[in-house]
Amino acid sequence: MRFCQRIIAVGLLASLVGCGKPPDGASAAPALTVTVATVAMGSVERWASLIGTLEARDEAVASVDGAGGRILALPVEVGAVVRAGQEVAVLDDANARLRQAQQVAEVARAQATRAQAAAQVAETEVTATEAKQSVERLEGLAASQSIAAETLGAKRAMQAAAQARVTAAIAGLAGADAELTRLATVGQEVALALTRTRITAPAAGIVSARPARVGQVVNPGDVLMSIAVDGVIEFAAEVPEELLPQISLGAPVELVAEGGIRRGSVRRIDPAVDRMSRLGSLRVTLSSSSKAAEAKDSEMTTASSTERVGSSAHGRLRLGLANGLCVPLSSLIREGVRDGKKTLAVVVGADGIAQR
């Protein structure tokens, strides 16, 4: 199909409305110079508007893993770059140190008890050995009937008693060893409790939130701060469900945020749609947003990025190309009508007459 119609630029629209042959006796209107463009098939990029917030791609939390206590120090601020394992909070360790001192004293007592038990075992074994030797000598004499049978029986009873004392002493030594083993376990628990009064960063990144305050009493599981892992910030947006089939992974995005205009691409399209709002969610990876190297290899510094987790941003997402009849944007005009707005254009036909 050939398109021979031409369209007039909007700047001359008002002058052309009602153009035609002037009535008899009227002077001819001055000639007008107009600009026309040929209507033709073409391709136009389609974009969708996006509104959302900046969020961490992955978020880690530094939380209380022990018994808790009062916060003595918080050496990092929001926006600081931290390394994995870096100390980010210090809790009061007075109770843990008291338990450690008690455990050390209990170990000393248990070691003394074990030494006594070991000495008792050695003593009873000597006595049992002497009783055994005495019985063996008397058995030789009893064979020649040099001693009475009652005497041999008494010696055998003494040997059995000595052996029983050996058994009891060995059991006491085993109990002392078990107590030392228990106290060693307690010592490990106390050492772990002391370690847990020093809260460390679970991953390298940027501190995005720090709800904790110095002097605050915290309990097990309380979150002290949140960390944007590796400092990677993404754009999270919601779009109407009818647009979701038109969006593909990797689609380019232009974003306007605190730091200016940023470019990125769609990394994730959530498969679910909110049942109430009928909106779907997507995540956009922003170019040059990672601070992983800075967080892993350098001393703690203050992040220089102007990207702030939770701040709002807006932009547009490229949906693709649309093919159809194309006219210059300047040739279109929106005119108020009773039921809303209507887009109009002035077209010059083959007869050279302009019509709306």
Side-chain angles (χ1 to χ4, degrees):
M1 178 179 180
R2 297 181 58 190
F3 299 95
C4 59
Q5 290 182 316
R6 292 177 295 172
I7 192 161
I8 298 177
V10 143
L12 300 174
L13 181 62
S15 301
L16 290 173
V17 174
C19 65
K21 183 178 179 181
D24 295 337
S27 60
L32 296 176
T33 301
V34 298
T35 301
V36 297
T38 302
V39 178
M41 291 294 293
S43 298
V44 176
E45 287 188 341
R46 297 174 58 245
W47 294 78
S49 297
L50 295 178
I51 298 177
T53 58
L54 297 178
E55 297 182 7
R57 172 183 291 187
D58 296 304
E59 189 173 66
V61 295
S63 58
V64 179
D65 197 23
R70 189 176 302 278
I71 299 176
L72 297 182
L74 291 167
V76 297
E77 298 284 348
V78 173
V81 177
V82 295
R83 304 180 306 278
Q86 178 179 328
E87 186 175 284
V88 296
V90 179
L91 304 183
D92 186 2
D93 61 358
N95 290 335
R97 292 197 178 278
L98 178 59
R99 289 180 57 200
Q100 187 180 49
Q102 292 172 342
Q103 188 266 346
V104 170
E106 290 177 358
V107 168
R109 285 196 297 270
Q111 289 175 338
T113 300
R114 187 193 184 284
Q116 292 176 351
Q120 190 172 5
V121 168
E123 180 181 352
T124 54
E125 285 179 343
V126 169
T127 302
T129 300
E130 291 176 349
K132 180 181 178 182
Q133 291 173 350
S134 177
V135 167
E136 289 174 350
R137 286 194 302 270
L138 291 177
E139 285 176 345
L141 294 174
S144 60
Q145 298 181 348
S146 299
I147 61 170
E150 292 80 0
T151 302
L152 178 58
K155 288 293 185 181
R156 284 176 174 170
M158 293 175 61
Q159 179 190 9
Q163 188 59 47
R165 286 193 293 272
V166 170
T167 302
I170 292 175
L173 180 60
D177 287 336
E179 178 64 8
L180 282 173
T181 301
R182 184 189 73 82
L183 290 174
T185 302
V186 172
Q188 293 175 350
E189 292 176 351
V190 172
L192 181 59
L194 275 173
T195 301
R196 287 176 172 174
T197 61
R198 299 296 191 266
I199 312 299
T200 59
I206 299 175
V207 178
S208 57
R210 198 193 73 173
R213 296 293 182 268
V214 174
Q216 176 183 350
V217 177
V218 292
N219 299 308
D222 286 354
V223 175
L224 304 185
M225 62 186 62
S226 300
I227 299 171
V229 177
D230 291 340
V232 178
I233 307 299
E234 288 188 332
F235 176 58
E238 293 182 330
V239 297
E241 63 176 329
E242 58 267 19
L243 284 182
L244 291 176
Q246 306 176 49
I247 302 174
S248 59
L249 294 177
V253 174
E254 293 180 357
L255 188 68
V256 179
E258 283 184 318
I261 298 178
R262 295 288 301 277
R263 287 178 171 79
S265 58
V266 177
R267 180 184 68 86
R268 188 185 81 195
I269 303 173
D270 290 353
V273 174
D274 187 270
R275 295 184 179 182
M276 299 297 295
S277 65
R278 312 311 304 172
L279 296 175
S281 300
L282 55 85
R283 286 291 190 116
V284 175
T285 297
L286 304 178
S287 58
S288 304
S289 62
S290 175
K291 295 190 176 296
E294 181 183 1
K296 291 179 180 178
D297 302 329
S298 65
E299 293 297 327
M300 186 189 70
T301 59
T302 300
S304 59
S305 173
T306 57
E307 298 165 352
R308 302 179 189 276
V309 174
S311 61
S312 61
H314 63 90
R316 60 177 189 162
L317 178 148
R318 186 177 184 274
L319 297 176
L321 294 175
N323 298 318
L325 295 176
C326 296
V327 299
L329 189 62
S330 60
S331 65
L332 302 180
I333 183 171
R334 292 182 64 82
E335 186 177 87
V337 294
R338 184 171 185 177
D339 297 328
K341 296 290 185 180
K342 189 174 184 180
T343 302
L344 304 174
V346 176
V347 178
V348 180
D351 56 1
I353 299 177
Q355 297 180 349
R356 303 212 307 178

